[in-house]
Amino acid sequence: MKIDQTYNPTEVEAQWYDFWLKNGYFRADETSEKEPYTIVIPPPNVTGSLHMGHALFVTLQDLLIRWKRMDGFEALWLPGTDHAGIATQVMVERELAKEGTDRHELGREEFLKRVWAWKDEHGGTIIDQMKHMGASCDWERERFTLDEGLSKAVREAFVRLYEDGLIYRGERMVDWDVIGQTVLSDLEVDREEEMGKLWYLKYPLADGSGHIVVGTTRPETMFGDTAVAVHPDDPRYKDMIGKMIRLPLVDREIPIIADTVLPDPTKGSGAVKITPSHDPNDFECGIRHNLARIQVIDFHAKINENAPAEFVGLDRFDARKLVVQRFEELGLLDRIEDKPFTPGRSQRTGAIVEPLPMLQWFVKGEPLAKPAIEAVESGRTEIIPAVWKKTYDHFMYNIRDWCISRQLWWGHQIPAWYCDDCDHITVNRQDPTHCEGCKSANIRRDEDVLDTWFSSALWPFSTLGWPEKTVELDKFYPTQVLETGFDILFFWVARMMMMGTYFMDDVPFDKVFLHAMVRDAEGQKMSKTKGNVIDPLHMIYGAQSEDLDAELHAELLRQYPEGVDAQGADALRFTLAMYAAQGRDIKLEVKRIEGYRAFLNKLWNAARFGLMNLEGFEAPSYKTFTDVWTTEDSSKPFVPADLSIADQWILTRLNQTITEIQTELEEFRFNEVAQSLYRFVWNDLCDWYIELIKPALYDDTPEGAATRKAAQSTLLFTLESVLRLMHPITPFITEDIWQALPRAEDAPKSIMIAAFPHARPELEMTAAHDQMALLLDIISSIRAIRGETNVKPGVVIDEVFFVTEDVNKRAAIESGAAYIQRQAKSSTLTIISAADAAKLEGVATAMVQGIEIRIPLKGLINIEEELARLNKEISRVEADIAFVSRKLSNEKFVAKAPEEIIAKERAKIQAYENEHNALLASLAELKTLEASG
RNA sequence: GGGCGCAUAGCUCAGCGGGAGAGCGACGGCCUUACAAGCCGUUGGUCACAGGUUCAAAUCCUGUUGCGCCCACCA
């Protein structure tokens, strides 16, 4: 049982995933008696590949699942992928374009075959990559939003919502993606402010009595104007209401109408051109006044034949220029103002969307939102961090109907049939053969598919077999936690809440944990154009410079021209957990991943040290040793004999760490979990405990056998326990080491099915812990004197004196002398009285927990240095005294502060004064010594 | 236009009523038989600014400034 001399993450991580998989440890049993703990994965795009955002959610969700699995729950992490309508379709279309064809030439059926082929070829990539992260998903339950079962769920949901009047088809103003050739929902349109212009155009009155000026940001839409609206109370235009305008360029007459809703006398010229076909406001205004709708921009953003000949076929922005030019030529351009505005852009294609009135399918927002709001309000579902609740509420209270139809082929085709002979629409669970209204066989199915997010909204129950009443659904719904990024709070989380409460009559999850966004070290979003992408797989397996893309990874190459070393999935996971403080951007630095790999190397070496010193050590039976974690039963306490105070100290620290981690996990404070582990492993276990027990371990005499065995037991127990605590974050290295540790026959086969530690009262050995803590303080203090007075590390200090009247402390020093001697490189330790201390000449002094430490110099210590050190100490203590006495002399403080605070301050000042006196005495002696040469 | 968040050590961030913490960096010293991917020590901060509440404020309240994000039919 040995492990390699150096920690090689790639080697360590190679074998264990298959081992876990083969043993079926990831499988969740729906018939189990155990309490369920379910997380559904946020399904990544099926054609995507792993990025840092995925790496973060895999880390956090796997952490939760592995923890709960070890903790005795029936843990289900349900994986799957999303068909990602537009994204996937666009990729295949791009491929077709290279072949010089397109989907229309291919036809719907052939095209879909191509997409499925693409999916089959590339769809496994991201799943495979998640496995490299260590994801312990129940792969046997992997789902795909377009698979048979989920398609059935989508169909059922659509039909039911339609039957219940919550889905309707209607003509509404929608945002059209002129590149993607589909409508988009509000959420898929991004708005970013840019500088634009506001053109003031003169529209001549038909009777020749003058003109009216309208302001517009979109002059090219004027071909579709069907009115100009003014406010009835606007004195400037009162007399013009009812008059006709002769619309320039198109030579058509349109009325000036009075409208109280739209025109704002303080904005623009106060008169608004009305283009019902190309502006949402104008659309509404058109309905109010029964205005005609003339579409002048087509679906490819070109001017159509409703405009004068010279404009037909022009791109809308070219047309804009020409319109302005013609107006200027006609002397009808009043003026131009600069004006910032925010055009809507398609999130996917970047195209400036064109608002158009179209017949589309919608889901009603309000009735579905109500119970979802209620669920969060009542605390049934808790959103963490709580700040997001406001955002959720704001969205839900202002929810708008959701446009769910898309003019794509890749997706769930809408189950609606239109009749050519009557206007009946058939919506059915089964494909109909004829019209439900007139029985005609001339029916056509709606060509459109559903928004991808419609199927995602059903994910927490569709993946468990809904609409069938399955055992899985019964066991695992509602899920316990939804863990995802806040960027899809509206797209996904809110909609799952709505659909879950509607179809399942219960929320889809108890808790929603929203994590931060992973960005680069400067806080910039990772993107190809910025060249700041950090690929998780490069971090895990390393990347030679030639593996890196000059464009994509420009920043990384700048930092690491030679490429990066393999850091391992464990180091990446530990780093991401460490970064996962609530409600913040994650500014990922490669250096930090390297730092945590060093931490894992530290753990590795601690284990190696353990193994080297456990040779021949027989592990006690699992049932009586490490198995203490499986039970709260105190009849099975952990009681190795002959524990040293160092042993008791580390066990107490371990127990304290377990307590901390328990709370931190429960409260999703993953960064603190990682921090507690880091501190315990590095500072407590490695820096102190291992050093403290070396003499005991190296002692193979018969007299030392008992303490040696106690140290071995404690070391093994501590290592074994901390591996379990770390396993949810760093599964590979912990398994690898754990498998190498001595174990009894009856131990479990894998750490991942071992029990997660809970704090145990019998490990809280306070007296020994405090005694050891005192010794550690003393050691640190002597080391500090050595360091600051330039005593060479190799030099042994002959004599160290301790002054204290406290019997307990005297006993502690006496019994712990060996620790001090070794750790602080000192030989003779003597406890003396204050009177004898006064006789010492030329000593360095320090104060620890009321104990004076005095080290005679005798050429050992540099006097200059010691004087400097003393003076620094003295001014520090004087500042402390001043601070506390100021507080204590404040009458109000003494009158109003709680008793224990005051008592604490009194004790403090006492201690400071003692220290001060000792230091002053030492200073005086030192000066005498210096004077005498 | 409305809403939310953030300003703490050179850097990245914890802390969120009782005397400012970590990691990295910097500086000094060590190849001490687990680890130089290491060990020992040191340094480093008007906790953005201005008021207020309190015996006590980095922490609570108000305002200011600077960044960031979200929502909004934005002539």
Side-chain angles (χ1 to χ4, degrees), chain A residues 368-386:
Chain A
L368 288 165
K370 247 186 178 154
I373 292 168
E374 184 50 34
V376 171
E377 206 48 60
S378 68
R380 173 66 188 88
T381 293
E382 187 190 357
I383 297 179
I384 304 162

Side-chain angles (χ1 to χ4, degrees), chain A residues 582-857:
Chain A
Q582 291 184 15
R584 278 234 176 220
D585 288 341
I586 292 175
K587 294 184 198 165
L588 186 68
E589 282 179 284
V590 178
K591 283 191 75 173
R592 266 186 88 168
I593 307 176
E594 293 176 322
Y596 294 124
R597 183 186 62 157
F599 167 64
L600 295 180
N601 180 59
K602 190 76 182 169
L603 174 72
W604 181 265
N605 277 290
R608 211 158 69 81
F609 173 83
L611 289 170
M612 289 170 74
N613 290 285
L614 287 171
E615 279 199 60
F617 178 80
E618 206 167 302
S621 156
Y622 177 70
K623 292 268 182 272
T624 59
F625 187 49
T626 42
D627 194 41
V628 295
W629 300 129
T630 60
T631 174
E632 301 274 332
D633 181 0
S634 54
S635 66
K636 292 173 53 176
F638 170 72
V639 281
D642 308 303
L643 293 181
S644 68
I645 54 168
D647 297 333
Q648 295 177 68
W649 175 81
I650 195 69
L651 289 171
T652 307
R653 280 294 304 131
L654 172 66
N655 206 45
Q656 289 166 348
T657 304
I658 291 168
T659 307
E660 279 166 34
I661 287 176
Q662 196 71 38
T663 322
E664 290 157 351
L665 280 170
E666 301 285 0
E667 294 174 5
F668 298 90
R669 284 164 16 219
F670 305 117
N671 60 318
E672 292 179 28
V673 175
Q675 221 166 60
S676 296
L677 289 167
Y678 188 97
R679 196 183 316 129
F680 179 75
V681 170
W682 203 314
N683 302 132
D684 295 335
L685 180 61
C686 295
D687 288 347
W688 284 119
Y689 182 66
I690 285 180
E691 295 305 324
L692 292 172
I693 60 169
K694 276 178 179 174
L697 290 175
Y698 296 160
D699 182 358
D700 50 7
T701 63
E703 306 83 69
T707 49
R708 180 162 188 248
K709 190 166 181 213
Q712 285 175 319
S713 305
T714 306
L715 179 60
L716 177 59
F717 183 81
T718 305
L719 269 173
E720 212 272 352
S721 304
V722 80
L723 288 174
R724 294 192 197 209
L725 290 170
M726 284 185 66
H727 178 77
I729 304 186
T730 54
F732 296 103
I733 188 175
T734 48
E735 180 77 283
D736 199 70
I737 296 171
W738 192 84
Q739 294 285 348
L741 292 180
R743 257 172 312 139
E745 290 286 305
D746 55 350
K749 273 222 231 36
S750 164
I751 191 174
M752 72 166 285
I753 54 166
F756 197 78
H758 283 257
R760 295 190 57 107
E762 70 271 20
L763 292 182
E764 203 68 36
M765 294 171 277
T766 314
H769 169 272
D770 292 352
Q771 195 183 335
M772 191 72 233
L774 171 64
L775 295 174
L776 300 187
D777 271 356
I778 289 170
I779 291 162
S780 295
S781 189
I782 297 174
R783 279 178 182 172
I785 291 173
R786 295 180 61 116
E788 283 179 74
T789 53
N790 291 329
V791 177
K792 291 285 168 201
V795 174
V796 174
I797 297 176
D798 289 337
E799 287 190 295
V800 179
F801 296 98
F802 298 90
V803 186
T804 178
E805 299 304 324
D806 186 319
V807 257
N808 290 328
K809 283 175 179 161
R810 283 175 170 236
I813 293 166
E814 273 162 10
S815 63
Y819 293 120
I820 299 172
Q821 284 161 336
R822 183 179 162 94
Q823 303 304 326
K825 283 226 165 163
S826 317
S827 59
T828 314
L829 308 183
T830 318
I831 298 173
I832 55 173
S833 67
D836 288 338
K839 293 178 200 151
L840 293 171
E841 280 183 5
V843 294
T845 301
M847 197 84 172
V848 170
Q849 295 189 22
I851 301 170
E852 282 175 40
I853 300 172
R854 311 208 136 207
I855 302 174
L857 302 172

Side-chain angles (χ1 to χ4, degrees), chain A residues 326-614:
Chain A
R326 291 287 176 262
F327 265 79
E328 191 164 19
E329 289 161 6
L330 293 167
L332 295 175
L333 179 61
D334 188 61
R335 62 187 195 276
I336 305 173
E337 283 175 5
D338 287 327
K339 189 180 185 305
F341 80 125
T342 47
R345 282 180 186 277
S346 162
Q347 227 164 50
R348 186 61 54 185
T349 65
I352 293 184
V353 297
E354 188 60 42
L356 288 169
M358 293 178 78
L359 199 53
Q360 299 292 339
W361 289 91
F362 296 86
V363 173
K364 283 189 186 166
E366 222 182 293
L368 288 165
K370 247 186 178 154
I373 292 168
E374 184 50 34
V376 171
E377 206 48 60
S378 68
R380 173 66 188 88
T381 293
E382 187 190 357
I383 297 179
I384 304 162
V387 283
W388 291 109
K389 186 179 165 293
K390 280 184 189 171
T391 311
Y392 173 86
D393 280 346
H394 186 260
F395 174 75
M396 285 300 207
Y397 280 114
N398 298 288
I399 197 157
R400 299 157 73 188
D401 289 357
W402 170 19
C403 178
I404 50 169
S405 40
R406 296 289 180 277
Q407 287 64 51
L408 307 170
W409 288 349
W410 177 242
H412 302 275
Q413 193 171 355
I414 291 173
W417 281 258
Y418 309 115
C419 179
D420 286 332
D421 298 322
C422 71
D423 54 6
H424 187 84
I425 300 175
T426 303
V427 170
N428 207 310
R429 287 172 180 81
Q430 267 77 50
D431 291 5
T433 52
H434 47 261
C435 173
E436 272 177 357
C438 70
K439 305 295 174 205
S440 161
N442 294 327
I443 54 170
R444 289 169 293 108
R445 184 168 187 177
D446 193 310
E447 299 265 312
D448 293 351
V449 300
L450 290 167
D451 182 359
T452 299
W453 294 104
F454 187 87
S455 53
S456 312
L458 314 175
W459 188 251
F461 48 95
S462 63
T463 50
L464 292 170
W466 188 88
E468 308 301 326
K469 285 191 163 59
T470 60
V471 184
E472 283 83 356
L473 208 52
D474 198 45
K475 174 85 181 173
F476 297 114
Y477 190 95
T479 69
Q480 273 55 59
V481 178
L482 182 83
E483 198 288 322
T484 191
F486 59 76
D487 53 325
I488 50 176
L489 178 59
F490 305 148
F491 275 110
W492 194 44
V493 182
R495 286 164 177 171
M496 283 191 288
M497 285 296 288
M498 295 194 278
M499 294 302 185
T501 47
Y502 190 74
F503 288 110
M504 296 298 297
D505 231 18
D506 194 0
V507 294
F509 13 77
D510 299 339
K511 289 180 180 173
V512 175
F513 179 78
L514 298 169
H515 62 236
M517 302 292 289
V518 185
R519 297 167 188 279
D520 76 359
E522 266 73 53
Q524 301 282 314
K525 227 172 181 166
M526 288 189 189
S527 77
K528 184 170 184 169
T529 46
K530 287 185 191 124
N532 59 355
V533 173
I534 303 173
D535 187 329
L537 291 172
H538 290 157
M539 295 300 113
I540 295 173
Y541 295 110
Q544 302 291 305
S545 52
E546 57 265 31
D547 300 334
L548 297 169
D549 184 300
E551 191 187 352
L552 220 54
H553 310 117
E555 192 53 48
L556 192 65
L557 277 165
R558 203 165 306 144
Q559 210 184 335
Y560 298 89
E562 314 287 312
V564 282
D565 293 335
Q567 308 297 324
D570 283 332
L572 177 60
R573 290 170 61 121
F574 196 89
T575 308
L576 291 171
M578 202 63 140
Y579 266 120
Q582 291 184 15
R584 278 234 176 220
D585 288 341
I586 292 175
K587 294 184 198 165
L588 186 68
E589 282 179 284
V590 178
K591 283 191 75 173
R592 266 186 88 168
I593 307 176
E594 293 176 322
Y596 294 124
R597 183 186 62 157
F599 167 64
L600 295 180
N601 180 59
K602 190 76 182 169
L603 174 72
W604 181 265
N605 277 290
R608 211 158 69 81
F609 173 83
L611 289 170
M612 289 170 74
N613 290 285
L614 287 171

